Amino acid sequence: MGYFPFFVELDGKAGVVIGGGKVAARKVEKLLAFGPRLTVVAPALESGIWELTERIEIRQKAFQPEDLEGADFVIAATDDREINARVSAYCRERKIPVNAVDDRENCTFFFPALVKEGPLTVGISTEGKSPAAASWIRRQVAGTLPENIGGIIDLMGQIRPWVLERIKEESHRRELFEKMFVYCVERDCRGDGEKVTAEELQALFLK
């Protein structure tokens, strides 16, 4: 049946990462961009995790079930599949979403390959069947994005309230949003250094 790609608000949510190696460090780095409160539990920790101590809580110890108390989601990222499976079992009992790295059978959600440019987030998943394929596709997607796509989307967010206020017909709004977006992409792709402003869009499209 496949997996539906929900996009979930993580800002302020409590996340627990079990494991302190390079894989765990990569997961932590990617998650922090979305604002969760992260706790890392491991007896030994990669230097990259220690560098993030101002942004995460560290428990330098072996995993215990009580480490999951209050967690909104969990990443099991140790190099021991038995430990990861045990973490997954505890999470399932407590109805906590869990991702066990490289063990799709013990996941209740998958950690996608991510392309993130400002407000744009593209998540790519192969249902855990081929992380290598997901990584390759991520690179292809990232390479095709227009320059400054994040800034353009921010600009569209600025102009959106003006359009909603002035254009009542939904089909007309959709057409106008598309025209403005294409205009912004084409201007930035020219590479002339001239950035489009919200005022310019308003003057051109909302007369």
Side-chain angles (χ1 to χ4, degrees):
M1 293 291 290
Y3 290 76
F4 188 84
F6 281 111
F7 281 77
V8 179
E9 174 64 70
L10 291 184
D11 189 30
K13 299 294 185 182
V16 178
V17 178
I18 309 297
K22 292 181 179 179
V23 173
R26 288 199 298 270
K27 302 299 184 185
V28 168
E29 184 179 4
K30 291 180 179 180
L31 284 166
L32 282 175
F34 297 89
R37 296 181 291 109
L38 291 182
T39 299
V40 176
V41 181
L45 297 119
E46 180 79 13
S47 60
I49 292 179
W50 284 115
E51 293 171 0
L52 299 170
T53 52
E54 293 184 358
R55 303 174 63 188
I56 64 177
E57 177 185 346
I58 289 178
R59 299 176 189 170
Q60 194 170 6
K61 58 185 283 293
F63 164 73
Q64 296 295 328
E66 54 264 29
D67 292 314
L68 302 179
E69 292 298 324
D72 293 307
F73 66 94
V74 172
I75 307 292
T78 77
D79 57 3
D80 187 323
R81 289 177 68 88
E82 290 187 7
I83 294 177
N84 290 348
R86 185 156 58 94
V87 171
S88 175
Y90 284 126
C91 289
R92 290 168 187 265
E93 291 173 4
R94 294 161 174 79
K95 309 299 183 185
I96 303 171
V98 60
N99 173 266
V101 174
D102 291 333
D103 187 357
R104 66 191 303 267
E105 299 303 322
N106 278 309
C107 294
T108 60
F109 75 92
F110 293 123
F111 199 108
L114 292 173
V115 177
K116 182 160 177 57
E117 296 289 342
L120 174 66
T121 301
V122 180
I124 300 159
S125 173
T126 59
E127 299 181 11
K129 295 177 181 178
S130 179
S135 180
W136 184 88
I137 294 168
R138 177 190 61 79
R139 292 192 297 271
Q140 301 305 306
V141 170
T144 63
L145 292 176
E147 185 178 354
N148 191 38
I149 187 64
I152 292 171
I153 293 173
D154 277 330
L155 180 59
M156 297 301 293
Q158 295 175 34
I159 198 72
R160 185 175 179 82
W162 295 350
V163 174
L164 294 178
E165 180 181 344
R166 290 162 176 77
I167 310 298
K168 302 305 179 182
E169 177 61 43
E170 193 276 336
S171 61
H172 293 168
R173 289 200 304 264
R174 185 172 60 250
E175 181 181 356
L176 184 57
F177 280 132
E178 184 173 345
K179 286 181 178 178
M180 288 191 295
F181 178 74
V182 171
Y183 175 81
C184 291
V185 169
E186 291 177 345
R187 284 287 299 274
D188 276 355
C189 287
R190 286 211 309 259
D192 55 14
E194 295 183 13
K195 302 299 182 183
V196 184
T197 66
E199 290 73 18
E200 180 179 351
L201 289 179
Q202 185 181 28
L204 284 171
F205 294 98
L206 296 174
K207 298 177 181 179

